[in-house]
Amino acid sequence: MSPGEGLSMTGSILAVAVGCAAASLWLLLPRGEGGVRERMARRFGTLLGCVSLALFIATGHRLGGVGEEAVFLVVALVAVISGAATIVTRSPVYSAIWFALALAGVAGVLLVLGAQFLGVATIVVYAGAILVMFLFVLMLAQPSGMAPYDRVSNEPLLSAVAGAVLLGLLTLFIGRLSAGPADCCAVPSKATALGSEGAQDSAVADAPSADPLAANHVARLGGELFGRHLLAVEAAGVLLLVALIGSIAIVSRTPPEERVELARRADA
Amino acid sequence: MTPSPLVLDGLMVGGMLFALGLVGILARRNLIVMFLSAELMLQGVSVSLVSWSRHHGDWGGHVLVIFVLTVAACEAAVALVFVLQAFARSGRLDSAAWQSLRESNLSRTVDHELPAVDAVAPVFPRLTPAGVAPHVAEDANLEREHV
């Protein structure tokens, strides 16, 4: 089999996988039918989703070691399956909890990719702070029982098709990247351009130790952040302050003039 | 230079998460679930940025993801306040409650009568009883039927 034939084979498998993923999401999204029909649709959708994931795994790239590959496979599966469950679960509380699991998977993927600080920061900031805020709002605002708008979707078919088109284009682009030195990414990688740090050749480029950012990771990330990007850090600080003040201003019901008046009366 | 297999797989996972988030934000009607879908898209972008950062041996992607985290925190704070205000006004977390804001050439979202929820009783975990059972009235319902 020539390389071109193998590529088209992989391409058609990936096309089937994307199609299965779209069909599975269409079947799994809330349909508002209830009863046996909806249950059958969900079972069939789960089956199609498994088929799609298996096809994606079959066409995936072989990583360096068996251990690394197994770890990446597990965390990536956790991230993608929980992400899918986040958007198809009827109850928003379960949605938020699935999202927490997806965050754990994403943190694992980031760790495997060598972003130690970001993996931990994702858990701390997202799962620890933002998600708890979501759950508080749900506690305040969610009516008891299953709301009707949680049991139906807006145009599930068109949404699934839109997602499939996006995923298909991304898959096409990534497949082209892997096909060889394409014209689109002719920029030489810094890892090979820098002699001292990136002394590795392509044979060992897949090993985890080949990550040029691994040594002294957090210290160098901090140096980069507070060196080249100091102004951006200051701007982000101002943004946080503005968001804080803005959200307090929006949420308080009484207009500020009345509050000043109330305070003045309390003083008098 | 061809990206390493790990980078390619990372890009693939990032793309999948982004596509899932897109489907969620288009299809779901609960404001909070829509917002969770947007966060899922941000996660996909983060994974892709870190993959490219590894490919290029450059800190740019990592730094950008830190700013994504910051902006996502701000966005969550402000957007949840908006959601709370919307709930206070309409009594629902439904995006279709605000459909009077739609473009004039779009048709109305009409809710049809939904069939009753499946009468499958939820199974809650039981803890081993310990201590003295408090007095509870016979007809008191301590559990919500749905979460």
Side-chain angles (χ1 to χ4, degrees):
Chain A
M1 190 170 21
S2 71
E5 239 175 274
L7 197 64
S8 70
M9 180 81 183
T10 312
S12 45
I13 292 179
L14 279 174
V16 173
V18 171
C20 280
S24 138
L25 278 184
W26 172 57
L27 288 171
L28 283 172
L29 278 170
R31 306 159 71 77
E33 288 169 341
V36 183
R37 263 190 88 181
E38 181 139 2
R39 240 175 294 150
M40 285 307 290
R42 285 169 77 164
R43 267 188 214 149
F44 198 55
T46 315
L47 191 70
L48 270 181
C50 292
V51 168
S52 154
L53 280 177
L55 289 179
F56 272 119
I57 292 169
T59 54
H61 311 279
R62 297 280 84 86
L63 303 184
V66 177
E68 193 192 7
E69 193 168 319
V71 170
F72 185 87
L73 200 59
V74 168
V75 288
L77 275 180
V78 167
V80 172
I81 292 176
S82 328
T86 304
I87 65 166
V88 301
T89 313
R90 272 72 173 159
S91 155
V93 177
Y94 289 159
S95 243
I97 290 168
W98 276 116
F99 182 65
L101 198 58
L103 286 177
V106 166
V109 172
L110 292 180
L111 283 177
V112 175
L113 282 168
Q116 307 153 19
F117 177 76
L118 291 175
V120 176
T122 300
I123 293 282
V124 171
V125 175
Y126 262 102
I130 297 183
L131 203 70
V132 173
M133 209 151 72
F134 274 108
L135 287 173
F136 267 116
V137 170
L138 274 176
M139 197 177 72
L140 285 175
Q142 179 67 13
S144 167
M146 195 81 77
Y149 49 84
D150 282 332
R151 295 171 56 206
V152 292
S153 310
N154 270 337
E155 303 287 353
L157 182 61
L158 286 182
S159 314
V161 168
V165 168
L166 178 70
L167 186 59
L169 286 176
L170 286 172
T171 314
L172 199 67
F173 173 67
I174 295 168
R176 273 202 188 163
L177 279 181
S178 65
D183 341 331
C184 58
C185 51
V187 183
S189 162
K190 250 193 210 172
T192 47
L194 296 178
S196 56
E197 280 182 347
Q200 72 275 35
D201 51 348
S202 60
V204 293
D206 302 339
S209 57
D211 184 8
L213 305 178
N216 268 338
H217 181 88
V218 179
R220 282 165 65 205
L221 179 58
E224 178 83 7
L225 190 61
F226 291 102
R228 265 180 75 187
H229 303 278
L230 185 59
L231 268 182
V233 170
E234 297 292 335
V238 174
L239 180 67
L240 280 167
L241 182 69
V242 170
L244 179 71
I245 296 173
S247 46
I248 293 173
I250 297 168
V251 84
S252 55
R253 299 262 169 85
T254 43
E257 301 83 31
E258 278 181 36
R259 252 177 290 147
V260 171
E261 192 59 36
L262 283 175
R264 207 174 282 153
R265 249 182 266 157
D267 279 345
Chain B
M1 175 186 146
T2 313
S4 77
L6 184 58
V7 170
L8 290 170
D9 281 356
L11 287 174
M12 204 61 222
V13 172
M16 284 182 191
L17 288 176
F18 193 90
L20 282 173
L22 178 76
V23 174
I25 210 167
L26 287 175
R28 295 304 300 265
R29 282 176 54 184
N30 191 312
L31 288 173
I32 298 216
V33 179
M34 287 171 75
F35 196 39
L36 282 176
S37 307
E39 301 283 330
L40 206 59
M41 291 168 92
L42 283 180
Q43 293 299 312
V45 171
S46 299
V47 171
S48 301
L49 280 173
V50 168
S51 300
W52 282 121
S53 203
R54 185 184 171 105
H55 174 56
H56 290 294
D58 186 271
W59 290 103
H62 288 242
V63 172
L64 211 46
V65 173
I66 291 179
F67 288 118
V68 166
L69 277 179
T70 316
V71 175
C74 296
E75 174 219 349
V78 176
L80 284 178
V81 167
F82 275 127
V83 168
L84 270 183
Q85 292 287 310
F87 177 74
R89 292 201 180 194
S90 72
R92 300 189 282 167
L93 286 174
D94 186 3
S95 62
W98 303 95
Q99 59 176 321
S100 56
L101 300 174
R102 72 188 185 278
E103 297 281 335
S104 55
N105 56 350
L106 293 180
S107 56
R108 239 183 107 73
T109 305
V110 184
D111 279 333
H112 300 287
E113 191 64 33
L114 289 175
V117 183
D118 298 352
V120 180
V123 182
F124 290 104
R126 294 247 167 238
L127 295 178
T128 317
V132 182
H135 174 71
V136 181
E138 285 275 313
D139 53 344
N141 185 15
L142 298 178
E143 292 158 349
R144 294 164 99 182
E145 288 175 2
H146 300 281
V147 183

